[in-house]
Amino acid sequence: MFHYSKSRLIGISDGVFAVVLTIMVLDIKSPISMARGPMIELIKHLLIYFISFGIVSEYWVYHQELLSGIKRTTPLLTITNIYYLVFISLTPFATGWLNDAFMQRLPSMAYSIIIILVNFTQAIMFHEVVEIGEEDGMHMSAHDREEYRSAQVMLGVSIIYLIFAYFTPKYFLIVIWIGLALRTAVTQVARAINRIQSRKTQK
């Protein structure tokens, strides 16, 4: 009679993502004047906001792909997803702290640790979804394997973020931006290769 609902899991997840993406913009304050200092401060806040928005949006893309194929959820996946959302919801806090203490070691490290925790729980969720799919007779496609590897790579890259945050916090945002760009580029290239290979196989 009682079972875990996949639709409710997706519903609360999308709700948390929507709130997180919305409230981050509240940290951006209008400049008190058109002088050089306030305008530079505004540009700094916008830069941090766009990077954080890109990170959270990327997690949403992975999350909706992750849960799209399975027909059911499990208690373990539901609990892991809740912890995943907890760490996602800390992103606005980390973004605000980074705004207030730009290029400082401690807020940069906090930002990195939150990303690591999100990536860690995401990697666990990928593993749990694979197990659910295999139990239901599903098989991983080339695209699925590429997404699974991407989740593991994201965890490794986030550890690199922490290293840069500790030793060279002034380059921290640049490294994150490069990481976002590389992940997007590598993902698109891998998907293009998979499409070409699948077409060759069909012929």
Side-chain angles (χ1 to χ4, degrees):
M1 293 176 63
F2 305 103
H3 63 277
Y4 285 80
S5 170
K6 175 186 169 182
S7 62
R8 295 288 297 277
L9 183 67
I10 294 174
I12 191 173
S13 300
D14 285 346
V16 170
F17 274 106
V19 171
V20 168
L21 290 171
T22 301
I23 64 175
M24 283 193 300
V25 76
L26 300 178
D27 281 324
I28 303 176
K29 309 298 182 183
S30 57
I32 57 176
S33 72
M34 300 299 291
R36 185 171 181 270
M39 295 306 295
I40 291 177
E41 193 75 7
L42 175 61
I43 293 172
K44 178 194 74 175
H45 288 175
L46 286 171
L47 175 64
I48 296 172
Y49 167 73
F50 285 135
I51 289 176
S52 293
F53 195 96
I55 289 173
V56 176
S57 297
E58 184 178 54
Y59 287 133
W60 179 84
V61 170
Y62 274 96
H63 188 270
Q64 61 91 21
E65 283 190 307
L66 180 65
L67 299 179
S68 63
I70 58 173
K71 297 180 176 60
R72 62 185 177 90
T73 184
T74 63
L76 184 59
L77 179 60
T78 301
I79 293 170
T80 305
N81 189 77
I82 290 173
Y83 281 104
Y84 176 76
L85 297 177
V86 167
F87 300 135
I88 286 288
S89 65
L90 286 172
T91 308
F93 158 75
T95 302
W97 194 7
L98 208 57
N99 273 326
D100 295 334
F102 189 55
M103 295 193 299
Q104 298 298 313
R105 176 177 293 167
L106 196 55
S108 298
M109 289 180 64
Y111 196 99
S112 301
I113 290 171
I114 289 172
I115 293 176
I116 289 173
L117 291 172
V118 173
N119 286 333
F120 178 69
T121 50
Q122 180 180 250
I124 294 175
M125 288 173 64
F126 265 87
H127 179 71
E128 292 170 1
V129 166
V130 169
E131 288 189 341
I132 293 172
E134 290 177 346
E135 288 175 3
D136 293 344
M138 302 171 66
H139 300 285
M140 291 182 70
S141 65
H143 172 76
D144 295 333
R145 286 190 290 272
E146 180 252 314
E147 294 295 304
Y148 191 31
R149 284 194 299 268
S150 295
Q152 296 170 327
V153 169
M154 288 171 70
L155 178 58
V157 170
S158 60
I159 296 173
I160 296 175
Y161 293 163
L162 181 60
I163 295 172
F164 272 88
Y166 181 80
F167 290 104
T168 56
K170 64 181 179 179
Y171 298 120
F172 175 64
L173 290 180
I174 297 175
V175 173
I176 286 187
W177 183 84
I178 293 173
L180 279 171
L182 283 177
R183 281 206 301 266
T184 302
V186 169
T187 299
Q188 294 304 318
V189 169
R191 289 179 179 178
I193 292 173
N194 287 335
R195 285 195 295 268
I196 293 172
Q197 291 177 341
S198 62
R199 288 172 185 171
K200 289 182 178 178
T201 303
Q202 292 173 358
K203 292 178 180 180

